[in-house]
């Protein structure tokens, strides 16, 4: 459903709640952004939960390559506590399967992989592949 007009997709981020200039009587969040057609999708907080993400432009630090099904903690933002995940090689990138829901995963964000206190590497989220 078209709810209104936006200021242009660069002015919004996934997870944003304030500054949307539209009210519904309950909190709504930016759940997805489509630059191709300047569309900003809104939804409930639960609509931000993701189960998987595809990470490209991967830069590995600890290992030369990631073994499939490697257990890791993945951080998708600076102050993120991290989400337990399993890493899989896929199409020259890494598919991250979150063990618990990860909130606000968005294309263009960095994803950093950790094994205990060691940084394995990271890359750029290309897309999320499933809701949780």
């Amino acid at each position: 459903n078209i709810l209104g007009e936006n200021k242009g997709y660069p002015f919004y981020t996934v997870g944003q709640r304030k500054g949307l200039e539209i009210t519904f009587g309950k909190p709504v969040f930016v759940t997805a952004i489509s630059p191709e057609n300047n569309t900003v999708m809104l939804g409930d907080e639960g609509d931000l939960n993701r189960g998987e993400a595809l990470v490209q432009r991967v830069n590995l630090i600890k290992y030369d390559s990631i073994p499939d099904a490697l257990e890791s903690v993945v951080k998708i933002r600076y102050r993120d506590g991290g989400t337990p995940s399993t890493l899989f090689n896929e199409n020259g990138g890494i598919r991250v399967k979150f063990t618990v829901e990860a909130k606000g995963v968005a294309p263009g964000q960095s994803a950093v992989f950790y094994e205990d206190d060691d940084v394995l590497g990271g890359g750029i989220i290309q897309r999320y592949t499933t809701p949780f």
Side-chain angles (χ1 to χ4, degrees):
N1 297 335
I2 298 174
L3 305 174
E5 294 186 13
N6 64 60
K7 298 181 284 190
Y9 77 89
F11 293 97
Y12 301 91
T13 58
V14 171
Q16 178 177 341
R17 183 175 73 111
K18 298 186 185 236
L20 299 178
E21 299 177 6
I22 192 167
T23 59
F24 292 94
K26 65 177 186 171
V28 294
F29 299 81
V30 174
T31 58
I33 297 171
S34 178
E36 299 79 22
N37 57 11
N38 192 38
T39 302
V40 177
M41 279 75 73
L42 303 178
D44 296 323
E45 187 173 13
D47 296 331
L48 294 170
N49 298 334
R50 304 291 179 231
E52 294 184 4
L54 180 61
V55 178
Q56 295 288 345
R57 295 175 30 204
V58 174
N59 181 23
L60 297 178
I61 297 170
K62 185 174 180 181
Y63 301 119
D64 290 332
S65 64
I66 296 282
D68 264 345
L70 179 67
E71 298 294 319
S72 175
V73 171
V74 177
K75 293 185 178 187
I76 59 168
R77 58 182 59 79
Y78 175 70
R79 294 184 188 258
D80 183 13
T83 304
S85 307
T86 306
L87 308 179
F88 300 91
N89 293 292
E90 184 173 302
N91 298 329
I94 301 290
R95 181 170 50 93
V96 177
K97 182 169 177 44
F98 300 109
T99 306
V100 297
E101 60 195 20
K103 184 188 283 187
V105 177
Q109 288 177 309
S110 293
V112 181
F113 318 130
Y114 292 85
E115 186 177 52
D116 298 318
D117 291 331
D118 296 336
V119 175
L120 300 176
I124 305 298
I125 297 171
Q126 179 182 354
R127 62 183 160 87
Y128 56 85
T129 54
T130 60
F132 196 77

